[in-house]
Amino acid sequence: MNRRAYLTIAGVGLGSVTGCLGDSSTAEFDAAHEEYDTTAVQITDESGEQRGSLTALIADTGALQFLGLSDTETLPDSRGMLFVYESAGSRTFVMREMDFGLDIIYISAGKRITSIHHAEAPSENESGTESQHRYPGEGRYVLEVPYEWTTHRDITRGDRVSFEL
């Protein structure tokens, strides 16, 4: 069995378990962020095979982008945050005041993944803005998802991201 097939099968089983365990945390997360617009996000590989899907909060203003998920205690496996910019460009994300790790996915204007960073949460004596917590990339969109979410789904650079704004 190839790695992608194994990860897909393992992910289905894990999704069933986390779905049962994560319902209350997902409801709490949604209630705490009800002022945000949301969008369904799907990621597919080059052959069109779905690798992952989730519901993302939309951060499309300077204030929402600055805050990001730093005021959030946890991020359920089925949730993320999509940062939307007017145009593609070089950006650097930091882990300011984060209590948990993230995968930071840079996405081109054509909705292809340009890079992925696995960003660990800062330690207690770090602000999250130090050089080891800076994650540069190129894109018009940036998607933050739970730490190693992309690894567990074999999501890689070049995969297509679909969503509606």
Side-chain angles (χ1 to χ4, degrees), residues 105-140:
I105 306 168
Y106 285 88
I107 305 164
S108 71
K111 296 186 178 176
R112 295 276 184 175
I113 295 174
T114 60
S115 63
I116 299 171
H117 294 281
H118 305 291
E120 292 184 1
S123 66
E124 287 183 28
N125 60 350
E126 296 176 315
S127 69
T129 60
E130 297 83 4
S131 61
Q132 71 270 25
H133 296 294
R134 292 182 172 273
Y135 302 95
E138 291 279 331
R140 176 163 181 217

Side-chain angles (χ1 to χ4, degrees), residues 29-48:
F29 178 84
D30 291 346
H33 297 91
E34 63 187 5
E35 72 277 10
Y36 285 85
D37 289 331
T38 62
T39 187
V41 177
Q42 293 187 353
I43 301 176
T44 56
D45 65 14
E46 287 293 323
S47 68

Side-chain angles (χ1 to χ4, degrees), residues 58-141:
I58 299 172
D60 56 359
T61 67
L64 291 176
Q65 291 165 350
F66 183 80
L67 178 61
L69 290 167
S70 62
D71 223 9
T72 304
E73 292 180 20
T74 63
L75 183 61
D77 201 46
S78 61
R79 297 294 184 263
M81 180 171 274
L82 180 66
F83 296 78
V84 179
Y85 298 94
E86 289 295 317
S87 60
S90 295
R91 310 187 189 291
T92 299
F93 273 54
V94 296
M95 296 294 287
R96 183 185 319 99
E97 299 180 29
M98 291 298 299
D99 292 330
F100 52 89
L102 295 168
D103 281 1
I104 301 170
I105 306 168
Y106 285 88
I107 305 164
S108 71
K111 296 186 178 176
R112 295 276 184 175
I113 295 174
T114 60
S115 63
I116 299 171
H117 294 281
H118 305 291
E120 292 184 1
S123 66
E124 287 183 28
N125 60 350
E126 296 176 315
S127 69
T129 60
E130 297 83 4
S131 61
Q132 71 270 25
H133 296 294
R134 292 182 172 273
Y135 302 95
E138 291 279 331
R140 176 163 181 217
Y141 310 99

